[in-house]
Amino acid sequence: MSLDTQGPGALDIRVITGQDVEDALDDLARLRIAVFHDFPYYYDGDFAYERRYMESYRDNDRAVLVGAFDGRRIVGAATGMPLEDNEPQYVQAFTEAGYDPDTVFYCAESVLMPDYRGRGVGHAFFDHREDHARRLGRRWSTFCSVMRPDDHPGRPEDYVPLDGFWEKRGYARMDGLTTFYHWKDRGDDAETIKEMQVWMKDLSAS
Ligand SMILES: CC(C)(COP(=O)(O)OP(=O)(O)OC[C@H]1O[C@@H](n2cnc3c(N)ncnc32)[C@H](O)[C@@H]1OP(=O)(O)O)[C@@H](O)C(=O)NCCC(=O)NCCS
């Protein structure tokens, strides 16, 4: 699929750094909260936490932050950083599975407002991050997806998982390789642990 940047709401997809990240921090925090509100993330977001989280991309010169802009408005973003810069429990899962963390680049999230989906932005987000990973000399690109039961009460009837997209991008589900994050689901009083499925792509093969 090629990137459709034509017509009303034409999009500009670019890596942002420095002051541009600083200027976008509030919007990025709001964007994550809005997109992850939906199933399968079902996230009851906290603005202060989200803003702090996004600052880690401003403060890490090996990280990458890709923005999708409709004019001056940021409507989507994707992030990534070297695996070893992540939380220890995430890095440990890879080490235990036999991967050297120094060889792995972690694609953290892709979030795009629903009105802008289906135009190739998801592909562009991966292209930018995989290019960045290659420039850092990483062999592997990885991300994780939340594992939800099929009968989760928040699952829309017409929900289609993104697995087909990820496989088409060259990512393989790593059976048995999972990790954990925690966040507060909508309707809950406290955070709960979420099991996350790891996906990997060998960047040296493409
Ligand atoms: C992931 C996301 C950024 C993809 O954005 P997008 O711009 O719509 O993706 P693209 O237009 O590049 O489409 C990529 C491919 O996936 C397919 N696809 C996109 N959304 C899909 C869905 N919900 N179900 C099935 N296939 C889907 C598209 O048809 C396209 O296939 P093609 O290459 O054969 O044409 C967007 O769906 C999103 O923000 N989702 C919610 C957050 C999320 O789940 N993020 C991923 C984990 S952090």
Side-chain angles (χ1 to χ4, degrees), residues 105-190:
F105 188 78
Y106 173 56
C107 293
E109 67 260 300
S110 310
V111 288
L112 183 65
M113 294 304 283
D115 286 354
Y116 295 88
R117 292 182 192 164
R119 304 165 53 164
V121 178
H123 281 291
F125 281 165
F126 270 123
D127 289 342
H128 278 291
R129 291 178 298 176
E130 290 167 6
D131 285 351
H132 185 84
R134 286 189 183 93
R135 278 195 294 274
L136 291 178
R138 302 282 156 145
R139 171 168 179 190
W140 303 98
S141 177
T142 189
F143 68 89
C144 61
S145 60
V146 64
M147 301 167 79
R148 294 289 198 184
D150 288 345
D151 62 352
H152 187 282
R155 184 187 171 104
E157 271 184 21
D158 59 353
Y159 175 71
V160 184
L162 287 167
D163 299 26
F165 168 43
W166 294 329
E167 284 163 3
K168 192 171 166 182
R169 286 291 318 185
Y171 287 84
R173 180 198 305 267
M174 305 304 288
D175 287 332
L177 178 47
T178 62
T179 183
F180 298 90
Y181 280 127
H182 51 87
W183 66 78
K184 187 151 81 76
D185 279 349
R186 286 156 51 190
D188 284 358
D189 294 329

